Amino acid sequence: MSTITATRPTGVTTSGSQDVAALVGRILLAALFVPAGFGKLMGFAGTVGYISSVGLPLPQVAAVVAILVELGLGLALLVGFKTRWAAIGIALFTLVATFSFHNYWAMAADKAFVNQLMFFKNIAVVGGLLVVWAFGPGRLSIDKR
């Protein structure tokens, strides 16, 4: 059984299965952000209210930024367009949002456990996005066409 390989300009070779894995990884990461961004867009007032409830400044602006990042950059990540920029943008946004919304160390015990899980889930997602930033989208992307 032979494997298909492609040489990137950097001299790094990938197999067809690695490119499929990169595509599936991008799809799974985008599946977290695109629906969330769409939900924020459709429920803008609720999003602004939630952002206000944690005391962040300029909640309307923050809601617009969240929609642009989650929906806009999420779709870019999904299709592999400007993928590295999309990945680092979403990673930075997620890092800031994680510390703003899942500060479990300052919560009552009944909320701390779930928020600790959400905190570390988000940190893991940031790690995955950094891998996409570091290694790119794979050949099955607009960037590689």
Side-chain angles (χ1 to χ4, degrees):
M1 182 169 142
S2 68
T3 47
I4 301 169
T5 59
T7 304
R8 295 182 183 172
T10 58
V12 176
T13 306
T14 60
S15 68
S17 61
Q18 288 171 311
D19 290 317
V20 170
L23 172 63
V24 171
R26 289 193 340 263
I27 291 168
L28 294 174
L29 285 166
L32 182 62
F33 294 101
V34 173
F38 186 73
K40 285 175 178 65
L41 180 63
M42 295 294 101
F44 189 78
T47 300
V48 170
Y50 182 60
I51 292 169
S52 295
S53 75
V54 299
L56 291 179
L58 303 168
Q60 293 88 354
V61 173
V64 169
V65 169
I67 292 165
L68 291 173
V69 169
E70 291 179 349
L71 191 56
L73 296 182
L75 288 170
L77 180 70
L78 177 67
V79 299
F81 177 72
K82 303 288 183 186
T83 312
R84 287 184 163 153
W85 287 106
I88 198 71
I90 298 169
L92 292 172
F93 168 82
T94 301
L95 197 59
V96 169
T98 298
F99 281 92
S100 299
F101 292 95
H102 300 297
N103 55 339
Y104 65 91
W105 54 89
M107 295 181 173
D110 62 327
K111 292 186 179 184
F113 179 72
V114 170
N115 277 279
Q116 184 179 18
L117 291 174
M118 297 296 284
F119 179 91
F120 284 106
K121 180 263 308 172
N122 283 5
I123 294 301
V125 169
V126 169
L129 289 162
L130 291 175
V131 170
V132 174
W133 174 76
F135 294 101
R139 288 184 297 157
L140 303 175
S141 65
I142 291 174
D143 288 345
K144 297 300 177 179
R145 295 277 173 227

